[in-house]
Amino acid sequence: ANPRISLNESVYRSEKKTGTRNRSIAYLLKSDNVLDGEPEEVLDVYFRMCSVMVTARDLAHYGMILSNHGVDPQTGEQLVDSTIVRIVTTLMMLCGICAIARHGIGIGTFGPMLNKKGNSVGGERILRILSESLGLHVFDTKEF
């Protein structure tokens, strides 16, 4: 829903140049037959995805779509196949893209200070507060 989303070329080049750890992981996964495709090609896509310029609102909108089984509640259009939604949301349990909760809720955060894992310190804190105060944790059984 944002035609201004673009790739930041300088971030992409930096990610590609300094991605030693990711490169090691990719080759390890390839050697264990976990990674399909050639590691450098897969890494190139990954580095590009790390370089996409989005806003917190873009992330929240994407999270809302994921939380709504791939359907954009604003348009009713199926934007992401439900099989892909399941894979993406599973991966999101391990690495922070954005946050989702039941009932079509998506939350995007931004904060320039990053922790050792590359996630926003302030973003994680506000998500924890929202999750606890509104009962939004994915494993919470109570409804809000």
Side-chain angles (χ1 to χ4, degrees):
N2 181 354
R4 295 176 299 184
I5 292 176
S6 62
L7 182 76
N8 184 319
E9 284 292 331
S10 63
V11 171
Y12 163 68
R13 286 190 301 276
S14 174
E15 288 286 326
K16 191 168 183 164
K17 182 179 179 181
T18 62
T20 307
R21 184 168 189 261
N22 289 319
R23 202 165 268 110
S24 298
I25 293 168
Y27 278 96
L28 177 64
L29 292 173
K30 179 69 174 179
S31 71
D32 286 342
N33 297 314
V34 175
L35 182 69
D36 289 333
E38 291 304 312
E40 291 300 326
E41 292 174 12
V42 173
L43 284 164
D44 190 66
V45 172
Y46 174 76
F47 294 143
R48 287 179 189 278
M49 292 307 300
C50 291
S51 308
V52 174
M53 300 298 292
V54 296
T55 66
R57 181 176 291 223
D58 295 326
L59 289 174
H61 187 238
Y62 183 58
M64 179 179 66
I65 292 166
L66 291 174
S67 180
N68 203 42
H69 311 287
V71 175
D72 185 336
Q74 295 175 346
T75 66
E77 184 180 358
Q78 181 83 39
L79 297 176
V80 182
D81 182 86
S82 58
T83 303
I84 300 300
V85 170
R86 184 176 178 161
I87 292 167
V88 170
T89 54
T90 300
L91 289 173
M92 286 171 57
M93 299 291 277
L94 303 172
C95 53
I97 300 171
C98 61
I100 64 170
R102 295 179 303 280
H103 310 295
I105 296 172
I107 303 169
T109 64
F110 172 78
M113 189 170 151
L114 304 178
N115 63 19
K116 290 180 182 180
K117 293 183 179 182
N119 293 320
S120 166
V121 173
E124 283 187 351
R125 183 163 185 209
I126 194 67
L127 286 174
R128 185 171 37 259
I129 292 167
L130 286 172
S131 176
E132 291 170 0
S133 63
L134 299 176
L136 296 178
H137 191 277
V138 69
F139 297 121
D140 280 347
T141 56
K142 67 180 179 178
E143 296 292 324
F144 56 90

